[in-house]
Amino acid sequence: MGFFDGTTFGSLFVTLFVIMDPPGTIPIFLALTSGRKARVQRRMAWQAALVALGVITCFGLFGRQILDYLHVSIPALQVSGGILLLLIALDLLTGKIEEPTQTKDVNVALVPLGTPLLAGPGAIVAVILAVQKAHGSAQELAVWCAIVAMHVVLWLTMRFSLVIIRIIKEGGVVLITRLSGLLLSAIAVQLVASGVYGFIHTYE
């Protein structure tokens, strides 16, 4: 298989990109950090990405133990995760994602930006499933590289959000968000189908 599985990397990276939606975080990040100095915004960008990476890593490392403790099977997780992702996809397609208001007493880079907006249920489910499916060092390395790469992209997107928003305009963000919703809905249906197939195969 080689040292690195590019297919596994690409599959998880695209899935996380669609779920975590870096372009869609731009207006939310700007709204949550408005009125702050540029250096504070830059600090919040890496703090949010780091918090999200920490949450995702914890679930990636201990997700199996959590599932075993709760007696939850992979097919059940696939079906529930698929339904959850479909709900997120519908929100993206209809533009019903709520934008949290700014809170002065809380570091918004930690909550709600780092979690649950970035490291939300959808991303957590996707990572747990990817780690469970990874076989061999090549696929495991690809999974963790995809996770790290995705959070680097998130950090860069927030770090340069002021520049990006001037380039693609608000209409560009809306367009990319809608396309992300379409792709995410397809991924969700595939997850549900795989879960149903897993149930049938288990009880044959």
Side-chain angles (χ1 to χ4, degrees), residues 83-100:
I83 294 173
L84 176 63
L85 296 187
L86 185 58
L87 293 175
I88 296 174
L90 291 175
D91 283 340
L92 291 175
L93 286 169
T94 58
K96 292 182 180 179
I97 295 292
E98 297 181 356
E99 296 187 11

Side-chain angles (χ1 to χ4, degrees), residues 5 7 36 65 92 177:
D5 191 330
T7 302
R36 291 177 168 85
Q65 289 83 347
L92 291 175
T177 300

